Amino acid sequence: MSRQSSSHQRSETDKGTTEQAPTEGPTPESPPEADPEATPDPEATPDLPARRQDDTGERDAVPDQEVSSVHDTVAAPKGWRAKYPAVARTVAWTVTGLSLALVFLALLLPTQLSLIEPSAFMRIPVEGVFGATLLLMLPSPARRVVAVLAGVVLGALTILNLLDIGFNEFLGRGFNVVLDWILLDDAQSYVKDALGDTAATAAVIGVVVLAVAMLVLMGLAVLRISNVMARNSAVATRTTLVLGTVWVMCAALGVQVAGAPFASRSTTALVQDRAERVRKTLKDEREFAKVAAVDTYGDTPGDQLLTGLRGKDMMFTFIESYGRSAIEDPAIAPGVDKTLKNATKRLNKAGFASKSGWLTSATYGGSSWLGHSTFLTGLWIDNQNRYRTVTAGDHMSLTRAFQRTGAWRTVGIMPGVTKGWPEGKFYGLDHVYDSRDLGYKGPKFSWSTMPDQYALKAFEHLEHGKKRDKPLMSEIILTSSHQPWAPIPKTIPWSQVGDGSVYKGIEKAGKNPADVFTDSNKVKAEYGKSIQYSVNSLIDYVLKYGNKNTVLVFLGDHQPLARVSGNNASRDVPVAIVAHDKAVLDRISHWGWEDGLMPGAKAPVWKMNSFRDRFLDAYGPNPGGATAPSSPSTSPKASPEAAPKASAKR
């Protein structure tokens, strides 16, 4: 055969092959287009590429790898997807859209409730751009594994962000992954005490389900996105490149939206911040143990302590959540201020005098025991690790100083304690009366186990009203002003208090905690009423049962949570000293405190941990000779998670 005829034969063969190839667009015989979002069906048999044919008519077999690739990308749908293609496409796009939204929201979720607004999500997260780039580069098996792991990690970070929101709302600081897990148990106990067993059980189940769902859904969402990108790699690559370019340009130019960078790296920053807090927390734990071992008055003999108060009956009383907002917030202050002014007048009329100032608490919104220990030990105790460290040692508390003298009987009235409290020994209390020892037969008032007036009456019956050969030093915790501030007890004649049964009707007629706590206006009003009740109960007690040797020191343990005190509230709490003997207040005349129970805006503000040394100096044998600084060298700085502003439990 000549070269020309051979060439003609190949041309005819090629022509025939060409005529059999599909023209542009689908033909009547063509199968329906596969849904790009549909999951490939391994049992479906798609049209394979035309086999190559050489001059001799022999056809080459299609490589197995090419067949496999076709199966992965263009498998025809089966089942309901084939029967309802429009519905299948809608469902596929909806699932993909929801997956993108979930991941996008997780990457940009703020850690404070007040910052959650539309502008917070009008940014490009660099973590999303980086993650998309990585997934596009990986082969199929590795891509699926990395996608699921990345989703689970993102879910865990989202859970921590939600915990941050809760802790910022209640405690004014973020969640500490080293220290704060114990507070989740306190939160459950608080819900149980305030709303009952059913609500507490439902809350626990809800939290567990939410946590598991977050991990699972986030893993599935990232996997879904990665599969869609793999099936549409060209579009996904171009989109990722564009977003990455825009991010770099906006980052370089400092473009902002509503005061926040448009080129976001918030998730990376949060991870770095948490890692840094963990490092600082572990370091703080080691350093604080050394700080707690140093005590200005640790070796002072008992006969050199508190010589200016010998023979006085001392009462150190903490009023739950009694903060600066109670006196200065326009929505709360009118009622509280009137109560304090009237109480001052009543005390003056009975021969008592008072002075007051401000202390900056180590805690906010809750964890009252941190405020108590800071006030009594002279150490800045703003986390559970510090509390455990100091209470496990022998650092001298203010109450223990009274015990060391041997001149006082020391007792604690703790209506908020419902089980064993070994810290009583550390605080130098000869006897502790908890909620089980006070003989109360009435109803609980939400979290508070008993009304303040009853706790004070029990104190009078069990200790203060008895004959003794020594004066009494008492630490008393009043709890009626604990959130959720409903129902609130009412003051009744002291002769009617009895075993507390009289409060059943009062509690039943009170307001529902859920109605109050969820209403921003009601919660402020009821909080103010609870403070008025606690202050009135305490002052009424002093006026009825106090005498010329009574000395009362009372203060708040911390500010109420942000819903009441505001997002930018200080940590300041009022503190006052009441005495019948003028010489007692003369010893603190150099403090600059103001007369009366209500400190003004210009009254001194000290850190709470400075009070112990100032007090021991003022009432020691040489007052004014060794005044402690406002920020003692024994506790120069706060621990890592301290923040300038909301608890599940006291």
Side-chain angles (χ1 to χ4, degrees), residues 208-272:
V208 172
V209 170
L210 176 63
V212 173
M214 186 63 65
L215 296 174
V216 173
L217 291 177
M218 202 67 74
L220 292 175
V222 178
L223 179 61
R224 173 74 182 184
I225 294 169
S226 72
N227 287 337
V228 172
M229 289 194 306
R231 290 196 295 268
N232 302 273
S233 60
V235 174
T237 300
R238 287 195 295 270
T239 302
T240 303
L241 181 61
V242 169
L243 290 175
T245 302
V246 171
W247 190 95
V248 171
M249 292 179 62
C250 289
L253 296 174
V255 177
Q256 293 191 342
V257 175
F262 183 69
S264 168
R265 56 183 299 275
S266 57
T267 299
T268 302
L270 284 173
V271 171
Q272 292 173 340

Side-chain angles (χ1 to χ4, degrees), residues 14 167 315 465:
D14 293 341
F167 271 65
M315 295 175 60

Side-chain angles (χ1 to χ4, degrees), residues 597-610:
L597 300 180
M598 190 175 75
K602 296 182 179 180
V605 180
W606 304 339
K607 290 187 70 174
M608 187 177 277
N609 59 322
S610 71

Side-chain angles (χ1 to χ4, degrees), residues 19 153 205 213 259 311 399-400 421 520 546 581:
E19 291 176 351
V153 171
I205 293 174
T399 44
R400 191 194 287 184
W421 191 59
S520 59
D581 185 351

Side-chain angles (χ1 to χ4, degrees), residues 302 305-306 396-406 408 616:
L305 290 170
L306 302 163
M396 190 181 72
S397 65
L398 186 55
T399 44
R400 191 194 287 184
F402 282 87
Q403 186 187 55
R404 180 182 291 185
T405 67
W408 279 272
L616 291 174

Side-chain angles (χ1 to χ4, degrees), residues 537-571:
S537 296
L538 181 58
I539 300 305
D540 286 351
Y541 175 84
V542 171
L543 291 173
K544 184 173 180 61
Y545 298 107
N547 54 53
K548 64 179 182 179
N549 287 320
T550 297
V551 177
L552 168 66
V553 179
F554 77 97
L555 68 153
D557 46 20
H558 55 71
Q559 282 264 53
L561 54 76
R563 181 173 301 177
V564 174
S565 60
N567 292 323
N568 299 312
S570 72
R571 292 190 173 206

Side-chain angles (χ1 to χ4, degrees), residues 353-366:
S354 55
K355 286 185 176 293
S356 58
W358 302 105
L359 298 176
T360 302
S361 179
T363 186
Y364 176 97

